[in-house]
Amino acid sequence: MADYMMCDTLQQVLSASVMDMLQAGIHEKQVAAATAPVSSVADNAAVISNEVANQASLGSDAAAASSPESTAEEAASQSARSCIFEVEVVLTITGTKITPSISQFLRALEALLSDWMGVLSGLRRLWEADEVTSLITSPGEENPPHTPLAALIDAGDLRGLVAQLTQSWQAAFARVEDFRQSYTPFEDILRRNDSVNVPAMAAAYVESFSGQLLPASQAVTGSALTAQDDSQQSSKAAAAAIGPQQAGATISLKTFKDLMDDLRRQLKDIHDLSDKSDVGMFRVDAHQLKTALLPSPTALLAQLGQCLPRAAAQLYAVFVDQVHSATSILKASISSVEDYVHQLAFLETLKANQSKVDEHYNQVQAAFELVLEYGMTVPAMDMAAYHTLTADMNALQQAAEDVEAHQEEQTEAFGQELGNGKPRHPSS
């Protein structure tokens, strides 16, 4: 009796599994061709499905089955069974793909059904056993009818049924392939991210900022000419390293801001992807795809977190060095007419370039503000140095005002010397 009960239970479980797949196949066929008549084989499968469902309900408690709680649980269970296969969307060198493929899926499914039906054909339901028939059948009652599933097995019609439903499974898999196209934008994101060279962009931006605010002939030393030539060569090299898509573009703070905003959107979109999505009879698992997508924007944001604070510090160093040099020239002790003429010429050049000086000052401030806005870490020494920039600008402004204030006095003094022909330090 125990052996019969175990066989009976196994038969019910396997039958339910087969019917779930058949019902899902029939549903997909109806979705694909709602107006087309269902084949006789598919009709037979539908009858079998209903019969198995009826058999599964034998012996259940009627009150529990009619209760709202039971009905809700059954509906939830039916919904959970609507997806009976799970596939995975993965990222490859050529893009996304579904695994297993349609050919692998169909071969595995046919083999599985064949194995199940082979087991089922060797099992008899408990009420079909001669040894117990007399015990479960009351006088005047007929034995439970031979089930359509058993008839299907006996008729050997399973192969024809599978052949008919293969089209349904293929149509269902095609819907999964269509769903896979929704991940195509992420393939484009990866290709775009691969072309971004953050260190080269930062270097190009710093080098474009490094030119002299004043003509080299007016600088403190002749080394400014060499520095300017080196800056131009470095800028060309950095631009070439950025890549063909970006080399022709001007690198600005807006470039970095737009890039960071785009990378943050990418991260949000990736995190918002559902780990599992139901598409007909298939459940698509995208967990591995999400895992493969995350490193690209994450790595670029990490590079920006390193390169931008360093670039801001370099901008400050370049700008404040020229501010200090200009202040030194304006504060220098004048001991000859030649020194005085050079100082006045430098002051005029500075005034002519005041808008450019202010622009560079604003760029340095904007660079630090951008870094802080996006929560990047700035070394304490760099931050402390940046906080002195306003004082340095005020010192330059004060030095220029002092030269202008004493301009009339200096001109009169050196004019008398020139008239007397007695310069303080004759030129060599």
Side-chain angles (χ1 to χ4, degrees):
M1 179 65 72
D3 290 342
Y4 277 119
M5 292 179 67
M6 291 175 63
C7 289
D8 191 67
T9 302
L10 179 58
Q11 207 270 359
Q12 291 187 55
V13 171
L14 290 178
S15 296
S17 298
V18 172
M19 289 308 104
D20 278 345
M21 281 193 289
L22 296 181
Q23 286 177 322
I26 293 168
H27 175 72
E28 289 294 332
K29 191 176 185 68
Q30 291 171 343
V31 169
T35 59
V38 182
S39 67
S40 60
V41 177
D43 285 331
N44 192 18
V47 173
I48 294 171
S49 300
N50 294 332
E51 181 63 25
V52 171
N54 292 334
Q55 292 175 15
S57 66
L58 290 177
S60 62
D61 182 74
S66 61
S67 65
E69 294 80 0
S70 177
T71 303
E73 289 178 0
E74 290 176 1
S77 177
Q78 180 65 29
S79 175
R81 289 198 303 269
S82 64
C83 293
I84 58 177
F85 303 113
E86 182 167 295
V87 294
E88 194 172 26
V89 56
V90 298
L91 185 65
T92 66
I93 296 177
T94 57
T96 58
K97 74 172 187 177
I98 299 295
T99 181
S101 65
I102 178 61
S103 59
Q104 292 172 328
F105 165 74
L106 289 177
R107 285 197 301 269
L109 186 59
E110 291 178 10
L112 179 63
L113 280 172
S114 178
D115 290 344
W116 282 1
M117 297 304 289
V119 174
L120 284 171
S121 64
L123 297 174
R124 288 188 302 167
R125 298 299 301 270
L126 180 59
W127 57 49
E128 297 171 347
D130 296 336
E131 294 86 344
V132 296
T133 300
S134 61
L135 301 178
I136 64 174
T137 305
S138 301
E141 289 184 354
E142 295 183 359
N143 291 338
H146 200 50
T147 67
L149 180 60
L152 177 64
I153 296 170
D154 294 340
D157 205 14
L158 175 65
R159 185 174 297 277
L161 177 62
V162 172
Q164 289 287 333
L165 293 178
T166 295
Q167 294 181 356
S168 298
W169 290 322
Q170 289 175 327
F173 207 93
R175 291 173 59 193
V176 174
E177 282 292 342
D178 291 340
F179 178 77
R180 182 189 61 80
Q181 298 299 322
S182 64
Y183 297 107
T184 300
F186 293 98
E187 300 176 16
D188 299 335
I189 284 173
L190 289 184
R191 284 190 287 269
R192 187 168 71 247
N193 288 354
D194 287 343
S195 68
V196 176
N197 188 331
V198 172
M201 291 173 63
Y205 177 60
V206 172
E207 294 299 342
S208 68
F209 183 86
S210 299
Q212 291 290 327
L213 291 175
L214 305 171
S217 60
Q218 299 291 340
V220 181
T221 65
S223 63
L225 280 173
T226 303
Q228 189 174 20
D229 290 341
D230 291 343
S231 171
Q232 292 174 352
Q233 294 297 327
S234 299
S235 182
K236 292 178 181 178
I242 293 173
Q245 295 181 349
Q246 298 171 336
T250 300
I251 305 299
S252 65
L253 286 179
K254 187 178 185 302
T255 305
F256 293 107
K257 180 175 175 59
D258 290 345
L259 176 58
M260 288 188 288
D261 288 342
D262 183 39
L263 293 173
R264 286 185 169 188
R265 280 192 298 269
Q266 292 179 23
L267 283 177
K268 182 181 183 303
D269 291 343
I270 294 172
H271 282 297
D272 288 346
L273 282 176
S274 298
D275 285 337
K276 296 181 185 293
S277 302
D278 293 347
V279 182
M281 70 171 73
F282 288 93
R283 178 158 291 167
V284 181
D285 186 343
H287 178 74
Q288 183 176 337
L289 175 64
K290 292 175 66 174
T291 302
L293 290 173
L294 283 172
S296 176
T298 301
L300 287 178
L301 283 172
Q303 290 181 7
L304 286 164
Q306 294 178 348
C307 293
L308 271 187
R310 184 162 57 245
Q314 291 172 334
L315 258 61
Y316 164 79
V318 168
F319 180 66
V320 81
D321 180 65
Q322 296 192 53
V323 169
H324 288 168
S325 297
T327 304
S328 298
I329 291 175
L330 295 176
K331 286 187 174 182
S333 177
I334 303 301
S335 57
S336 67
V337 173
E338 184 180 19
D339 290 343
Y340 179 59
V341 171
H342 285 173
Q343 187 182 67
L344 289 180
F346 183 85
L347 177 61
E348 291 303 316
T349 303
L350 179 62
K351 291 167 65 176
N353 286 273
Q354 187 61 50
S355 61
K356 190 175 182 180
V357 172
D358 292 340
E359 178 185 347
H360 278 54
Y361 172 63
N362 292 334
Q363 282 191 51
V364 174
Q365 285 188 316
F368 276 89
E369 289 173 358
L370 181 65
V371 166
L372 296 176
E373 176 186 351
Y374 283 82
M376 299 177 183
T377 301
V378 181
M381 292 185 62
D382 292 341
M383 202 67 201
Y386 165 68
H387 285 151
T388 66
L389 182 59
T390 300
D392 292 330
M393 286 292 293
N394 291 337
L396 175 61
Q397 184 64 31
Q398 185 61 51
E401 291 175 359
D402 290 342
V403 170
E404 286 187 317
H406 296 87
Q407 182 174 355
E408 185 176 348
E409 176 185 343
Q410 292 280 32
T411 300
E412 182 179 352
F414 282 110
Q416 292 178 355
E417 289 189 14
L418 289 174
N420 296 331
K422 299 178 180 180
R424 295 181 184 179
H425 294 282
S427 58
S428 56

